[in-house]
Amino acid sequence: MAAGFTLALYPWTYNSQFAEDGSWKEQFVEKPHKSPGEEAAMNAAAHKELMGSRNSFPELPMVNYTSQYGIGCFEGLKAFPQKDGSLKLFRPDLNALRFRESMEGLKMPGFPEEKFLAAVREIVKRNENLGFRPEYQNEWEKDNFLHANSIYIRPFSWTEGGIGLNLSSHPYVVIITTPVGSYFDPDASSKAITTDRVRATDHGTGWIKCNANYVIPTLAKKEAMAQGYMEAIFLDYKEQKYIEEGSSCNAFFLLKDGSLVTPALENRILNGINRRSVMQLAKDEGVKVEERRISIDEVLSEAVECFVTGTAAGVSYIESVTHQGKTAVFNNGKIGEFTANMLHTLKGIQYGAEKDRHGWMFEV
Ligand SMILES: *Cc1c(COP(=O)(O)O)cnc(C)c1O
């Protein structure tokens, strides 16, 4: 499978709406499909048409506070094929919690965590029953699951119809799933450059996983890519001095003194589940982990390895960081030992090759 996301939705989707009576009206919707084998054999035009019909939600209002004003939030999590044939979810309890908090942060009714977990499991199961799932492949073990596939699960909110500025009192929650390979092409450049755009401010929405937070990072990432970089690194809005995060991923730096540093959240940085997990795994290894401010100057002079984390990115090493014409190259541009260790341990846990000591994997 090619790197990155593909917009090839699996047939079963979920949607629910917060009703007048205060309950969530839930629905599983089966979209048009053929068998996975028949779909794979379709010609490009026919396949595109089928995928278009999958990505059609006539039950949802088009003109609403999400499509017009960006009042919306989402989650991203994955189900991983295991050697024994089962599928397991990575820390979905934390996605459920964050999703409720994001909705409440946008002043809409929060989606209950137990409903989130039940719906995620059910939709993965229903698709699996139709044969829509990646199968575990032994050859993935050869490069520590670098090219392994999984199921990407995207829950998101969508508001009731409306055209004036408003908050949502009857939001929908929709869940779709797609097959996914690795997000960053493992063989491509992984150079990063700072951007002077601002992703988040105090008293803003930086901590919420909301649609609106993606506008500026998308612009910054595309600008970085146009200059030959893979990723844009945001600095703090006040002084343009301290690292915040990547365009959609959290940043880590291994320093010369052996400590691992990631910027403190400070209500602006997204509280990544992979971020938390890597901090735990590093502590397990006896590494000193610090959540604090880290300046770009400190990174340029003290960092020996750098990587970013996120559900889509996993653990992705950054070969260099450029800031105002100065470039720090880490480990001669190759993945460092510590980063590789974190990558292998995390992927190993997710695909069931490493012991799940912290109880992070949930059965579907
Ligand atoms: C989702 C996201 C992350 C990564 O969070 P995970 O829970 O690890 O997937 C990091 N930064 C931003 C801005 C995000 O939206």
Side-chain angles (χ1 to χ4, degrees), residues 268-333:
R268 296 185 308 275
I269 293 170
L270 205 284
N271 187 0
I273 294 162
N274 289 272
R275 175 183 179 277
R276 283 171 66 162
S277 304
V278 162
M279 287 183 354
Q280 181 65 54
L281 294 176
K283 281 179 196 158
D284 292 350
E285 304 263 307
V287 170
K288 182 176 164 209
V289 179
E290 293 182 338
E291 283 180 274
R292 62 166 170 86
R293 290 192 166 189
I294 177 165
S295 70
I296 182 65
D297 288 339
E298 185 176 358
V299 166
L300 292 175
S301 68
E302 299 302 315
V304 291
E305 293 186 30
C306 169
F307 58 93
V308 290
T309 65
T311 297
V315 171
S316 290
Y317 85 99
I318 298 290
E319 61 182 77
S320 64
V321 172
T322 298
H323 175 67
Q324 294 179 348
K326 276 187 253 165
T327 296
V329 178
F330 310 112
N331 197 45
N332 293 318

Side-chain angles (χ1 to χ4, degrees), residues 82-119:
Q82 309 289 303
K83 211 172 180 135
D84 65 6
S86 66
L87 290 166
K88 282 190 180 167
L89 297 157
F90 179 68
R91 310 191 80 176
D93 51 331
L94 297 185
N95 294 96
L97 171 64
R98 189 171 64 189
F99 191 56
R100 181 173 61 70
E101 289 177 347
S102 289
M103 291 181 79
E104 290 170 357
L106 297 177
K107 299 192 192 291
M108 56 176 107
F111 191 56
E113 284 140 76
E114 66 281 2
K115 285 207 184 301
F116 181 104
L117 287 173

Side-chain angles (χ1 to χ4, degrees), residues 105-152:
L106 297 177
K107 299 192 192 291
M108 56 176 107
F111 191 56
E113 284 140 76
E114 66 281 2
K115 285 207 184 301
F116 181 104
L117 287 173
V120 162
R121 284 186 163 123
E122 182 68 19
I123 186 177
V124 171
K125 257 191 253 169
R126 287 187 186 220
N127 284 314
E128 185 177 17
N129 290 341
L130 294 177
F132 286 88
R133 57 158 292 173
E135 292 299 335
Y136 188 94
Q137 289 164 32
N138 287 326
E139 66 188 54
W140 290 345
E141 294 166 17
K142 284 186 208 148
D143 62 359
N144 291 301
F145 304 96
L146 204 58
H147 295 87
N149 299 333
S150 56
I151 301 172
Y152 184 74

